């Protein structure tokens, strides 16, 4: 974070020094550089959207379009991206011959412009989802004191689901063999929308079954991602990750083992 703030400050100081100089070439280079970066970033986003639109129109698979990342990125482009264009146009139209424009207005326009361009570029960073999207989701949901929200209306329904899963030997509480404690924990965690510090339940399932169970539980839910699911449940492979589960599920050539029993646990 310190490196990011330092980089932004350096850019702002350098840009401000250019504004304060009377050299037209410096100002021209600054404008050309900002314009090139903005165009480059927008072209990257447009290419992604065109690929998605083409795949959607011709009913093709869109594995390249991760909605958890692409939707927030599109939102950033529609807001800060639009703001960056407006600010750049405003900056380009400033008459530096005026004292106020040269020393004050130009800097006031450049500071938010550089910030917008930085955020647009950050949306292409691998840390974008973890450092930005998830934090925004948590802040929004924290107003209701929930990290996620499932569609189940009462705890009794969740307790029944746990009992059915337990009877089919699909689930256990880690290090605890008491069924009553298990169903209480299950209903408490899933109904309250809270994520425990460590996984609480052990699933006697492989990755394919785990993904199938997640799909059923998360149906009609809000912000209940597979990452959050795996922070509550661990399966036979304790080092399971979202990528490994999704990869196993996508490569599977047959339906999940005991699929019928999994479905019946929710009926």
């Amino acid at each position: 974070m310190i490196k990011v703030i330092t980089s932004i400050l350096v850019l702002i100081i350098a840009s401000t020094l250019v504004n304060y100089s009377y050299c037209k070439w410096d100002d021209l280079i600054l404008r050309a550089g900002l314009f090139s970066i903005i165009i480059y970033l927008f072209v990257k986003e447009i290419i992604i959207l065109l690929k998605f639109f083409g795949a959607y129109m011709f009913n093709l698979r869109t594995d390249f379009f991760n909605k958890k990342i692409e939707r927030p990125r599109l939102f950033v482009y529609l807001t800060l991206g639009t703001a960056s264009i407006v600010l750049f146009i405003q900056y380009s139209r400033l008459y530096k011959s005026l004292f106020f424009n040269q020393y004050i207005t130009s800097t006031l326009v450049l500071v938010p412009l550089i910030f917008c361009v930085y955020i647009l570029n950050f949306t292409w960073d691998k840390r974008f989802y973890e450092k930005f999207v998830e934090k925004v989701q948590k802040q929004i949901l924290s107003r209701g004191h929930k990290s996620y929200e499932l569609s189940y209306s009462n705890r009794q329904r969740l307790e029944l689901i746990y009992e059915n899963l337990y009877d089919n030997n699909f689930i256990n509480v880690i290090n605890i063999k008491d069924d009553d404690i298990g169903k209480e924990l299950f209903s408490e965690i899933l109904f309250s929308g809270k994520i425990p510090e460590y996984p609480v339940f052990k699933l006697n399932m492989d990755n394919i079954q785990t993904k199938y169970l997640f799909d059923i539980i998360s149906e009609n839910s809000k912000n209940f991602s597979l990452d959050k699911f795996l922070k509550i449940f661990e399966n036979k492979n304790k080092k399971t990750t979202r990528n490994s589960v999704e990869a196993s599920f996508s490569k599977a050539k047959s339906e999940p083992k005991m699929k019928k029993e999994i479905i019946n646990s929710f009926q």
Side-chain angles (χ1 to χ4, degrees):
M1 187 63 181
I2 296 177
K3 291 182 178 179
V4 172
I5 295 175
T6 303
S7 300
I8 294 176
L9 288 176
V10 170
L11 285 172
I12 292 173
I13 293 172
S15 303
T16 304
L17 290 175
V18 171
N19 289 332
Y20 290 168
S21 71
Y22 289 93
C23 180
K24 293 182 179 180
W25 286 107
D26 290 345
D27 186 55
L28 182 62
I29 292 173
L30 176 61
R31 294 188 189 189
L34 286 171
F35 179 77
S36 300
I37 294 173
I38 292 172
I39 292 299
Y40 169 73
L41 292 172
F42 267 87
V43 168
K44 288 182 70 174
E45 178 64 8
I46 290 172
I47 290 174
I48 292 289
L49 293 177
L50 287 177
K51 286 177 63 179
F52 175 76
F53 181 74
Y56 177 79
M57 291 298 296
F58 294 97
N59 195 29
L60 301 175
R61 295 184 66 180
T62 56
D63 293 340
F64 63 89
F65 193 89
N66 187 343
K67 63 182 181 180
K68 295 179 182 178
I69 297 176
E70 298 301 337
R71 286 181 179 177
R73 180 187 290 150
L74 180 59
F75 173 78
V76 172
Y77 267 82
L78 291 174
T79 53
L80 297 184
T82 302
S84 67
I85 294 175
V86 173
L87 290 169
F88 180 79
I89 294 174
Q90 182 64 31
Y91 177 76
S92 300
R93 291 179 177 179
L94 286 175
Y95 293 97
K96 295 290 187 67
S97 58
L98 298 177
F99 176 87
F100 191 81
N101 284 349
Q102 180 184 358
Y103 291 98
I104 300 176
T105 307
S106 57
T107 300
L108 292 177
V109 173
L110 264 177
V111 171
L113 173 57
I114 292 174
F115 174 78
C116 289
V117 173
Y118 170 78
I119 297 298
L120 290 178
N121 183 65
F122 181 66
T123 62
W124 298 96
D125 192 291
K126 293 181 179 179
R127 301 170 298 168
F128 173 62
Y129 181 79
E130 178 183 352
K131 300 295 184 180
F132 179 78
V133 177
E134 284 193 334
K135 288 187 176 181
V136 172
Q137 289 177 341
K138 288 180 181 179
Q139 289 179 355
I140 294 174
L141 290 172
S142 63
R143 298 171 185 173
H145 306 290
K146 290 188 176 184
S147 295
Y148 59 87
E149 186 172 350
L150 302 184
S151 59
Y152 303 99
S153 59
N154 57 68
R155 296 173 186 262
Q156 289 72 27
R157 172 64 176 148
L158 290 168
E159 289 181 0
L160 180 59
I161 291 173
Y162 178 87
E163 289 179 345
N164 292 336
L165 290 171
Y166 182 84
D167 290 341
N168 284 296
N169 196 32
F170 285 136
I171 193 172
N172 292 100
V173 180
I174 297 176
N175 298 326
I176 298 177
K177 296 183 179 180
D178 191 326
D179 180 34
D180 291 332
I181 293 178
K183 68 181 182 182
E184 290 175 4
L185 284 173
F186 187 85
S187 64
E188 169 64 23
I189 292 173
L190 295 185
F191 188 79
S192 64
K194 296 179 180 178
I195 298 177
E197 186 176 356
Y198 303 102
V200 176
F201 303 100
K202 169 70 178 295
L203 297 176
N204 299 314
M205 298 180 171
D206 56 28
N207 283 351
I208 300 172
Q209 291 174 305
T210 299
K211 177 62 166 60
Y212 189 71
L213 177 66
F214 163 75
D215 288 339
I216 297 177
I217 292 179
S218 62
E219 188 176 0
N220 298 321
S221 67
K222 295 181 181 179
N223 298 294
F224 191 56
S225 64
L226 183 54
D227 288 314
K228 294 177 181 178
F229 178 85
L230 294 175
K231 290 180 180 178
I232 303 172
F233 304 89
E234 66 176 34
N235 65 9
K236 294 178 180 179
N237 178 10
K238 293 184 178 181
K239 295 182 180 180
T240 298
T241 63
R242 173 177 58 84
N243 290 335
S244 64
V245 170
E246 291 180 341
S248 298
F249 191 80
S250 62
K251 294 177 182 178
K253 296 182 180 180
S254 60
E255 293 185 340
K257 299 175 183 178
M258 301 182 71
K259 176 182 177 181
K260 183 177 179 180
E261 286 77 3
I262 296 175
I263 295 175
N264 290 339
S265 297
F266 290 82
Q267 295 178 352

